[in-house]
């Protein structure tokens, strides 16, 4: 494992972070500790020291799993991150949430405490002021309950810059991968300001894993083992990044990702060039890039918005035109489709009645209605 500095905090973090949002679950949707704990421990044994959870992950049981998993390890060697959403709450509720996090994590302190999915307007309304969450967080920091304050965000780059410029945070977690570079300059700025920079979604929600070995061989240098390998190495080739987070739920995935993050040089110059060429091929994706976050859902008319966009990405990005059309036809006919292990359920793009409810909820500002029209036109044609 390679280690990097978490900004100017003096703390060393593993280049690969363990995202604890996709741990195995039981039938009731809570964490399956018997399966989750060995996974987390395998990651720790392979040198991961940054674990990222959140107050809301897996109905609160992600934090419990992390707390149980870290027990045998020296606490001071670990960098435990969690996240509390502040929308709609003030200092009193914030303290209650912090206490819950500490209890679940079964620890005396949290290393990196994020304001979860922070937006500039939410920060102004609920972060600032005498009764605001920031003052409470700073007090928790002064009392040694929290080492560093951070935020995660899907807000616009301009607003994320404003949050950085407040100087209130020592770290930031943002989405960044080679299909979605819109936060690149913001990450650079945060790094320059001495903040720890953590990247979520380095493998684009797992969808980059869909390339076949054949396609990869055609597109990329032989040292690239798989799409996730490339994705993690690409993120870590950016020296502004402290940690690439990956939501891991199999031993194999952990071992492969650790290998990707353990290279002395994530990508050589030749490899970077090959990836650049690939970017150019993927440029057409830019207008239709959907992260699959699901914030636009549910659609009152039952359209599976991210599912339809995923099908379109297959058509446009991976060049799997026939396959994408067949799956779209299944969606229209049966309300179901599947894409190499991912199932899509809901209505096809053609069922959109253009009510407009989804668009304001999209953090990527995707013109959903217009893009769905295109999906229906392109994939629906004979
Ligand atoms: S605009 Fe279309 S996709 Fe969006 S919520 Fe309305 S019906 Fe659903
Ligand atoms: S359309 Fe926007 S809100 Fe909906 S899943 Fe895609 S990125 Fe998320």
């Amino acid at each position: 494992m390679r280690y990097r500095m978490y900004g100017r905090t003096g703390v060393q973090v593993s280049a690969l972070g363990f995202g604890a949002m996709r741990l195995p679950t039981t039938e009731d949707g809570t964490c399956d500790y018997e399966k989750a704990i060995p996974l987390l421990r395998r990651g720790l044994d392979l040198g991961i020291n940054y674990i990222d959870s959140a107050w809301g992950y897996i109905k609160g049981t992600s934090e419990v799993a992390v707390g149980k998993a870290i027990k045998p390890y020296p606490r001071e060697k670990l960098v435990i991150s969690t996240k509390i959403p502040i929308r709609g709450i003030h200092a009193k509720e914030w303290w209650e949430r912090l206490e819950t996090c500490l209890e679940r994590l079964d620890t005396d302190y949290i290393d990196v405490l994020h304001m979860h999915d922070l937006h500039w307007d939410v920060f102004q309304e609920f972060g600032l002021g005498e009764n605001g969450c920031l003052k409470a967080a700073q007090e928790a920091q002064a009392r040694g309950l929290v080492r560093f304050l951070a935020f995660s965000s899907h807000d616009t780059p301009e607003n994320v810059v404003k949050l950085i410029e407040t100087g209130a945070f020592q770290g930031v977690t943002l989405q960044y991968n080679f299909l979605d570079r819109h936060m690149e300059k913001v990450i650079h700025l945060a790094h320059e300001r001495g903040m720890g920079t953590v990247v979520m979604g380095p493998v684009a929600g797992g969808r980059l894993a869909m390339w076949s070995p054949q396609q990869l061989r055609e597109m990329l240098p032989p040292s690239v083992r798989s799409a996730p390998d490339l994705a993690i190495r690409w993120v870590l080739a950016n020296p502004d990044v402290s940690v690439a987070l990956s939501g891991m739920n199999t031993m194999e995935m952990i071992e492969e990702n650790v290998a990707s993050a353990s290279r002395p040089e994530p990508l050589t110059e030749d490899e970077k060039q090959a990836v650049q060429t690939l970017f150019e091929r993927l440029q057409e994706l830019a207008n239709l890039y959907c992260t699959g976050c699901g914030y636009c859902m549910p659609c009152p008319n039952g359209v599976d918005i991210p599912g339809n966009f995923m099908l379109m990405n297959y058509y446009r990005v991976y060049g799997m035109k026939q396959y994408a059309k067949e799956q779209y036809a299944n969606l229209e006919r049966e309300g179901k489709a599947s894409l190499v292990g991912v199932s899509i359920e809901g209505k096809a793009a053609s069922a959109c009645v253009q009510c407009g409810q989804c668009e304001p909820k999209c953090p990527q500002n995707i013109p959903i209605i217009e893009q769905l029209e295109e999906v229906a036109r392109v994939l629906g044609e004979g």
Side-chain angles (χ1 to χ4, degrees):
M1 178 58 63
R2 297 267 148 185
Y3 296 87
R4 297 179 172 202
M5 297 311 290
Y6 186 74
R8 289 193 208 118
T9 61
V11 169
Q12 277 208 326
V13 282
S14 49
L16 178 69
F18 203 127
M21 78 294 271
R22 293 202 196 98
L23 295 171
T25 52
T26 56
E27 274 175 13
D28 66 0
T30 59
C31 191
D32 182 336
Y33 301 120
E34 276 186 28
K35 290 186 182 152
I37 292 169
L39 290 171
L40 286 159
R41 289 187 180 160
R42 181 71 181 137
L44 294 171
D45 292 340
L46 291 173
I48 293 175
N49 75 348
Y50 189 97
I51 307 186
D52 180 71
S53 187
W55 184 78
Y57 285 169
I58 325 181
K59 302 181 178 175
T61 58
S62 160
E63 289 182 329
V64 178
V66 172
K68 288 177 189 287
I70 63 175
K71 272 288 148 230
Y73 297 82
R75 178 67 185 83
E76 68 282 3
K77 296 233 159 74
L78 303 175
V79 182
I80 303 300
S81 150
T82 195
K83 312 188 203 75
I84 293 177
I86 67 161
R87 186 188 288 271
I89 65 166
H90 295 97
K92 181 172 170 291
E93 296 91 344
W94 188 89
W95 278 108
E96 286 165 6
R97 289 187 183 184
L98 175 64
E99 273 170 34
T100 307
C101 292
L102 288 166
E103 250 171 58
R104 288 176 183 161
L105 288 162
D106 197 10
T107 183
D108 297 333
Y109 65 92
I110 289 160
D111 296 276
V112 183
L113 184 61
H114 290 77
M115 293 192 183
H116 198 171
D117 194 14
L118 190 62
H119 282 236
W120 176 243
D121 58 345
V122 171
F123 181 67
Q124 285 185 303
E125 190 173 351
F126 301 104
L128 299 179
E130 269 309 290
N131 198 22
C133 296
L134 179 63
K135 191 150 182 260
Q138 286 170 334
E139 197 185 317
Q141 197 171 19
R143 282 164 51 181
L145 301 172
V146 172
R147 292 177 75 198
F148 308 114
L149 296 180
F151 67 94
S152 65
S153 185
H154 292 282
D155 204 348
T156 61
E158 297 71 32
N159 283 345
V160 175
V161 167
K162 285 194 220 165
L163 289 166
I164 289 171
E165 300 288 10
T166 62
F169 301 100
Q170 294 86 57
V172 63
T173 296
L174 295 169
Q175 181 160 300
Y176 176 56
N177 58 63
F178 71 55
L179 296 181
D180 179 2
R181 302 175 68 175
H182 79 293
M183 286 291 180
E184 195 160 85
K185 287 190 179 141
V186 180
I187 291 171
H188 180 65
L189 174 80
H191 178 72
E192 271 191 344
R193 295 280 192 276
M195 292 169 72
T197 51
V198 177
V199 164
M200 54 178 152
V203 292
R207 279 171 298 131
L208 293 182
M210 304 300 176
W211 274 315
S212 68
Q214 167 76 23
Q215 284 170 304
L216 279 172
R217 263 198 302 280
E218 284 166 13
M219 293 188 287
L220 290 165
S223 81
V224 174
R225 285 176 293 121
S226 64
D229 175 45
L230 167 69
I232 287 176
R233 286 165 57 190
W234 184 84
V235 164
L236 292 176
N238 182 340
D240 295 331
V241 172
S242 315
V243 176
L245 276 184
S246 179
M248 299 181 281
N249 53 17
T250 66
M251 291 291 179
E252 196 186 15
M253 199 188 283
I254 295 166
E255 284 158 15
E256 285 184 4
N257 287 351
V258 167
S260 305
S262 300
R263 291 172 163 263
E265 184 183 26
L267 287 176
T268 63
E269 279 311 313
D270 283 354
E271 287 165 344
K272 278 189 199 156
Q273 188 51 51
V275 175
Q276 187 56 39
T277 308
L278 176 61
F279 282 151
E280 283 153 20
R281 282 181 62 182
L282 296 179
Q283 198 57 49
E284 62 185 293
L285 175 65
N287 295 338
L288 185 68
Y289 186 62
C290 162
T291 63
C293 68
Y295 291 151
C296 55
M297 296 289 281
C299 155
N301 204 40
V303 177
D304 182 339
I305 302 169
N308 277 279
F309 288 166
M310 201 193 295
L311 285 171
M312 191 62 182
N313 282 345
Y314 265 74
Y315 182 93
R316 290 168 62 151
V317 181
Y318 306 110
M320 297 163 80
K321 297 190 174 180
Q322 199 48 38
Y323 182 61
K325 282 185 172 190
E326 281 164 18
Q327 294 305 321
Y328 182 82
N330 287 344
L331 203 59
E332 273 202 315
R333 208 173 39 241
E334 297 160 24
K336 273 190 195 160
S338 83
L339 278 176
V340 203
V342 180
S343 31
I344 300 173
E345 279 194 38
K347 290 188 187 166
S350 55
C352 171
V353 297
Q354 309 200 341
C355 71
Q357 284 191 35
C358 52
E359 286 194 353
K361 295 192 246 168
C362 175
Q364 313 291 326
N365 296 320
I366 292 176
I368 296 176
I369 296 174
E370 194 186 306
Q371 298 285 13
L372 284 175
E373 273 185 328
E374 191 189 357
V375 173
R377 193 173 61 248
V378 173
L379 298 186
E381 74 178 11

